[in-house]
């Protein structure tokens, strides 16, 4: 009996010792005592965080989240297997809630994208773990805040790490963890700029729920803020990544970007732009005749509908305002000229180009205005590819596939912003798209791009391949998809001319990662070219066509003389310069080629372009 008790007691002791030791293990690393200077900076950052929340409550920014679910791949490390897209406007004034931009009705029965709209509309469900992950757009928006209700030194422990420059902004870096238990408290690292003590970046996650039945699940994220106005730092982007998580019986990863823009949408920008115009002193110097022909009246009517729609889309935060000498003029409209001149296309109204601010891959025309989405611009690797897109839209304009003129009546555009996708129809029929792609091929063959068409074809081939899994990225919100209903590209004649996609050929870059060319000013919604170095891919994993990458900002303090936002670039710019040659040297980015000197016809066409499209 005694012999039996001794080993049993020893066994109990052996089990109890590690358990007791485990209870004593701290949950977080031991914090170091702050110096008085560090403690003062932290306290100022707490106060500035309250100021930031009040500043945000006065705005209704647009919030776009694009998610790619991934799986491991032996060659490419991770590849996307599905995607999710969410766009909403957040209102902080009456609480913290969002209003999703409702997708337009998919009137086409069947086809490649028949289930996409349904998948988008179902995304408002709370994140659940029972059958399948569903993403809550508000959950991603919350990553713009650390802890809106209790971020202070009573609830959080700060530990100094080091000083660090983020761009030209010097910061103090602290590790942070909550002192008290609770769900949804931040723990990770914060960067505090040293002048006004604003938190400009934080990186970590939120504490998980204690209740096993909770449907909430928190991801790791990297949240950035930008000095958009004097003394005002606002959230601009969040990157989310989980390399592994369990969905049912499968292990999948996740990469996502959330972007914020439209902070000044509440301001009466249109009124303020017009108050300085002295119409009383204006003189009509037009040499046009006093009467208009029926055809001219028809064109003026179409132009009125076009301008109404463009104004409405800009007001809704979906269209970038034109910038004098900006990307729209220097690149897109120059390519229009390069296509129009050799094809003898004469337009009575200049052809303009605008950028739609969404990350989706789409394009369309509104009257004589070509609209290309930011996601499409960002993913195209070279000028020839951009020309292939512009050529198809130019064909729509020439063939009279203009917008519905019912929008010439402005009352038809009086609706909530969130209904824009449903109330404005800007897509062409399959018949029109088929005619336009045939005409576009004629334009390209007669242009300076005729010898570069195989390069353009690579993009359309890559888009077809990735379109099989990135269905939401290729589902247009306002315009036309680049893919037919069966998933083949509209410009299939180009893809047939291209070589096969070879991941091991590092000189071959069929498509770039998202965010490769343009940055959006979160305050005024204008787009600007990235001022970033371009690197050649060193291996197939560096290519990442149409993929989400980390975000990284070289922060700058606001300077009124420099209205462009801070330089930003994907953290690992893997696509490299699209014009890069196999040696790794780079040529300038796809600023459109100018017509040759002495080419009078080209110069005339350029003169038709709007000098200042405001």
């Amino acid at each position: 009996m005694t012999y039996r008790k001794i080993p049993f007691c020893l066994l109990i002791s052996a089990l109890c010792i590690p358990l007791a030791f485990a209870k004593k293990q701290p949950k977080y690393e031991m914090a170091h005592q702050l110096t008085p200077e560090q403690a003062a900076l932290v306290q100022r950052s707490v106060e500035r965080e309250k100021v930031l929340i009040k500043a945000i409550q006065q705005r209704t920014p647009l919030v776009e989240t694009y998610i790619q679910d991934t799986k491991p791949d032996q060659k490419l490390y991770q590849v996307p297997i599905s995607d999710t897209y969410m766009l909403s406007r957040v209102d902080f004034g009456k609480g913290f809630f969002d209003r999703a931009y409702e997708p337009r009705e998919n009137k086409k029965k069947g086809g490649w994208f028949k289930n996409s709209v349904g998948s988008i509309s179902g995304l408002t469900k709370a994140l659940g773990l029972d059958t399948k992950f569903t993403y809550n757009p508000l959950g991603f928006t919350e990553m713009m805040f650390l802890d809106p209700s209790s971020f202070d030194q009573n609830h959080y422990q700060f530990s100094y790490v080091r000083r660090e420059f983020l761009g030209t902004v010097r910061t103090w870096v602290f590790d942070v963890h909550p002192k008290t238990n609770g769900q949804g408290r931040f723990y990770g690292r914060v960067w505090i700029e040293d002048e006004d003590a604003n938190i400009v970046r934080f990186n970590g996650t939120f504490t998980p729920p204690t209740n096993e039945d909770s449907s909430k699940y928190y991801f790791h994220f990297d949240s950035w803020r930008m000095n958009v106005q004097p003394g005002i730092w606002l959230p601009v982007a969040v990157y989310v990544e989980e390399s592994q998580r369990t969905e049912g019986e499968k292990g999948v990863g996740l990469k996502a970007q959330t972007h914020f823009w439209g902070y000044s949408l509440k301001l009466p920008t249109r009124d303020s732009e017009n108050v300085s115009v002295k119409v009383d002193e204006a003189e009509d110097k037009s040499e046009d005749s006093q009467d208009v022909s029926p055809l001219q009246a028809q064109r003026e009517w179409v132009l009125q509908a076009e301008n109404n729609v463009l104004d409405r889309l800009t007001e809704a935060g979906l269209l970038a305002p034109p910038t004098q000498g900006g990307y729209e003029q220097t690149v897109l409209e120059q390519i229009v000229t390069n296509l129009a001149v050799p094809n003898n296309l004469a337009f009575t109204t200049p052809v303009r180009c605008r950028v739609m601010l969404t990350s989706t891959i789409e394009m369309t025309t509104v009257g004589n205005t070509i609209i290309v989405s930011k996601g499409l611009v960002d993913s195209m690797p070279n000028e020839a590819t951009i020309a292939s897109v512009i050529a198809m839209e130019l064909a729509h304009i020439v063939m009279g596939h203009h917008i519905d003129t019912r929008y010439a009546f402005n009352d038809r555009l009086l609706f909530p912003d969130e209904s824009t996708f449903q109330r404005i129809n800007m897509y062409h029929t399959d018949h029109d798209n088929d005619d336009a792609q045939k005409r576009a091929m004629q334009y390209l063959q007669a242009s300076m791009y005729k010898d570069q068409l195989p390069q353009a074809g690579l993009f359309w081939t890559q888009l077809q391949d990735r379109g099989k899994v990135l269905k939401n990225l290729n589902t247009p919100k306002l315009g036309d998809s680049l893919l037919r209903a069966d998933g083949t590209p509209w410009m299939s004649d180009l893809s047939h001319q291209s070589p096969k996609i070879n991941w091991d050929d590092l000189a071959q870059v069929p498509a770039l990662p998202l965010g490769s060319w343009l940055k959006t000013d979160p305050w005024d919604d204008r787009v600007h070219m990235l001022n970033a170095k371009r690197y050649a891919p060193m291996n197939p994993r560096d290519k990442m066509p149409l993929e989400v990458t980390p975000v990284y900002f070289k922060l700058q303090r606001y300077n009124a003389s420099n209205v462009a936002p801070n330089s930003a670039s994907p953290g690992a710019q893997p696509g490299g310069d699209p014009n890069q040659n196999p040696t790794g040297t780079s040529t300038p980015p796809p600023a459109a080629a100018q017509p040759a000197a002495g080419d009078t016809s080209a110069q005339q066409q350029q003169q038709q372009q709007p000098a200042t499209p405001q």
Side-chain angles (χ1 to χ4, degrees), residues 36-190:
E37 184 182 16
Q38 295 165 355
L41 182 69
V42 168
Q43 184 57 38
R44 290 173 59 201
S45 73
V46 169
E47 300 300 323
R48 292 299 302 172
E49 196 69 9
K50 297 176 182 176
V51 173
L52 176 139
I53 292 173
K54 289 184 178 178
I56 293 177
Q57 287 175 340
Q58 301 173 9
R59 314 291 171 189
T60 56
L62 273 76
V63 183
E64 178 194 63
T65 297
Y66 178 60
I67 307 164
Q68 290 183 345
D69 296 314
T70 62
K71 70 174 183 180
D73 184 87
Q74 186 172 8
K75 187 181 189 65
L76 304 177
Y77 179 57
Q78 284 186 329
V79 294
I81 55 175
S82 63
D83 65 341
T84 301
Y85 181 87
M86 298 175 284
L87 180 68
S88 59
R89 174 176 285 187
V90 181
D91 191 341
F92 303 94
K94 299 179 182 178
F96 185 64
F97 63 92
D98 63 332
R99 300 192 299 270
Y101 277 64
E102 296 295 333
R104 70 189 186 198
E105 292 183 2
N106 190 355
K107 298 180 179 180
K108 302 174 182 179
K109 296 181 179 180
W112 184 255
F113 300 112
K114 62 180 180 180
N115 295 322
S116 299
V117 174
S119 63
I120 295 173
S121 60
L123 292 174
T124 54
K125 298 178 180 178
L127 184 63
L129 299 176
D130 49 352
T131 56
K132 183 180 180 181
F133 275 103
T134 54
Y135 298 113
N136 184 349
L138 204 56
F140 287 86
T141 305
E142 288 174 349
M143 297 175 188
M144 69 197 299
F145 298 113
L146 279 159
D147 184 342
S149 61
S150 57
F151 181 72
D152 53 42
Q153 296 192 68
N154 293 328
H155 296 85
Y156 284 90
Q157 184 72 51
F158 294 80
S159 180
Y160 173 74
V161 179
R162 62 176 179 270
R163 297 187 184 186
E164 181 178 336
F165 275 95
L166 296 179
T168 60
V169 177
R170 187 170 61 181
T171 66
W172 294 45
V173 185
F174 296 86
D175 282 341
V176 181
H177 67 257
K179 291 181 178 178
T180 57
N181 294 328
Q183 174 183 328
R185 297 191 182 279
F186 175 80
Y187 67 101
R189 180 161 293 184
V190 300

Side-chain angles (χ1 to χ4, degrees), residues 504-552:
D504 294 318
D505 182 359
L506 301 183
Q508 186 189 85
V509 183
L512 299 176
L514 298 177
S516 290
W517 289 119
L518 299 179
K519 54 186 175 184
T520 303
D521 187 318
W523 185 260
D524 64 13
D525 295 355
R526 298 181 189 275
V527 292
H528 306 274
M529 287 265 312
L530 286 177
N531 181 19
K533 293 182 179 179
R534 311 284 171 176
Y535 298 98
M538 297 181 63
N539 51 65
R541 296 181 178 185
D542 281 349
K543 292 187 173 182
M544 299 186 289
L546 302 166
E547 292 186 20
V548 169
T549 65
V551 294
Y552 194 91

Side-chain angles (χ1 to χ4, degrees), residues 40 95 114 131 201 243 250 274 330 346 365 472 475 508 538:
K114 62 180 180 180
T131 56
R201 179 189 182 189
S243 58
K250 299 180 180 178
N274 295 330
T330 58
T365 56
N472 284 302
T475 299
Q508 186 189 85
M538 297 181 63

Side-chain angles (χ1 to χ4, degrees), residues 28 90 95 135 147 157 262 276 348 350 357 396 423 455 488 505 540:
Y28 304 104
V90 181
Y135 298 113
D147 184 342
Q157 184 72 51
S276 61
T348 55
L357 293 171
H396 278 302
R423 302 292 291 272
Q455 296 181 27
T488 58
D505 182 359

Side-chain angles (χ1 to χ4, degrees), residues 111-418:
W112 184 255
F113 300 112
K114 62 180 180 180
N115 295 322
S116 299
V117 174
S119 63
I120 295 173
S121 60
L123 292 174
T124 54
K125 298 178 180 178
L127 184 63
L129 299 176
D130 49 352
T131 56
K132 183 180 180 181
F133 275 103
T134 54
Y135 298 113
N136 184 349
L138 204 56
F140 287 86
T141 305
E142 288 174 349
M143 297 175 188
M144 69 197 299
F145 298 113
L146 279 159
D147 184 342
S149 61
S150 57
F151 181 72
D152 53 42
Q153 296 192 68
N154 293 328
H155 296 85
Y156 284 90
Q157 184 72 51
F158 294 80
S159 180
Y160 173 74
V161 179
R162 62 176 179 270
R163 297 187 184 186
E164 181 178 336
F165 275 95
L166 296 179
T168 60
V169 177
R170 187 170 61 181
T171 66
W172 294 45
V173 185
F174 296 86
D175 282 341
V176 181
H177 67 257
K179 291 181 178 178
T180 57
N181 294 328
Q183 174 183 328
R185 297 191 182 279
F186 175 80
Y187 67 101
R189 180 161 293 184
V190 300
W191 284 255
I192 304 174
E193 54 95 7
D194 64 350
E195 286 190 7
D196 298 322
N198 291 288
I199 295 176
V200 298
R201 179 189 182 189
F202 49 101
N203 174 309
T205 188
F206 296 118
T207 51
T210 55
N211 184 354
E212 294 182 355
D213 296 332
S214 175
S215 61
K216 292 188 176 181
Y217 188 92
Y218 297 110
F219 299 124
H220 288 82
F221 62 94
D222 192 9
S223 185
W224 289 78
R225 293 166 178 176
M226 188 179 290
N227 191 186
V228 296
Q229 290 288 290
I232 300 177
W233 290 78
L234 292 175
V236 293
V238 179
Y239 174 68
V240 179
E241 179 182 296
E242 293 290 344
S243 58
Q244 291 184 347
R245 75 173 198 268
T246 301
E247 181 180 325
E249 298 180 353
K250 299 180 180 178
V252 296
L254 168 148
K255 294 189 298 183
Q257 284 185 3
T258 295
H259 292 277
F260 306 88
W261 72 82
Y263 280 110
S264 65
L265 283 177
K266 271 189 171 180
L267 302 178
T269 54
R270 294 189 59 78
D271 290 340
S272 63
E273 289 172 358
N274 295 330
V275 293
S276 61
V277 178
K278 298 180 179 179
V279 294
D280 293 341
E281 300 176 3
E283 295 181 11
D284 183 10
K285 297 181 180 180
S286 172
E287 296 178 356
D288 293 342
S289 58
Q290 295 298 316
D291 300 319
V292 296
S293 67
L295 177 57
Q296 188 177 359
Q298 172 64 23
R299 288 175 175 173
E300 289 294 331
W301 190 244
V302 174
L303 179 61
Q304 182 169 314
E306 171 187 345
N307 289 334
N308 285 347
V309 169
L310 294 177
D311 288 349
R312 187 66 186 90
L313 294 178
T314 304
E315 183 182 354
L318 297 172
L319 202 62
T323 303
Q324 173 69 22
Y327 180 85
E328 298 93 331
Q329 285 186 337
T330 58
V331 177
L332 299 180
E333 291 177 8
Q334 182 60 54
I335 292 176
V336 170
T337 301
N338 296 344
L339 291 167
V341 171
N343 287 284
N344 298 317
L345 304 179
F347 300 97
T348 55
T349 303
V351 175
R352 299 174 292 183
C353 294
R354 300 285 292 271
V355 175
M356 184 177 170
L357 293 171
T358 61
S359 295
T360 50
I361 305 293
E362 59 184 298
M363 57 184 182
T364 191
T365 56
V366 183
N368 272 28
T369 299
I370 296 173
I371 295 178
V372 186
S373 68
K374 180 179 180 294
L376 176 55
V377 171
D378 282 338
S379 58
M380 291 189 287
N382 49 53
E383 185 176 330
T385 303
I386 301 174
S388 68
V389 170
I390 296 292
M392 188 166 170
E393 298 311 301
L394 202 59
H396 278 302
I397 294 175
V398 174
M399 301 174 77
H401 302 158
H402 57 71
I403 192 173
D404 193 331
T405 54
R406 64 195 178 104
Y407 300 118
F409 297 100
N410 198 60
D411 62 285
R412 291 199 167 100
L413 297 168
L414 300 178
F415 49 76
D417 292 346
E418 297 75 25

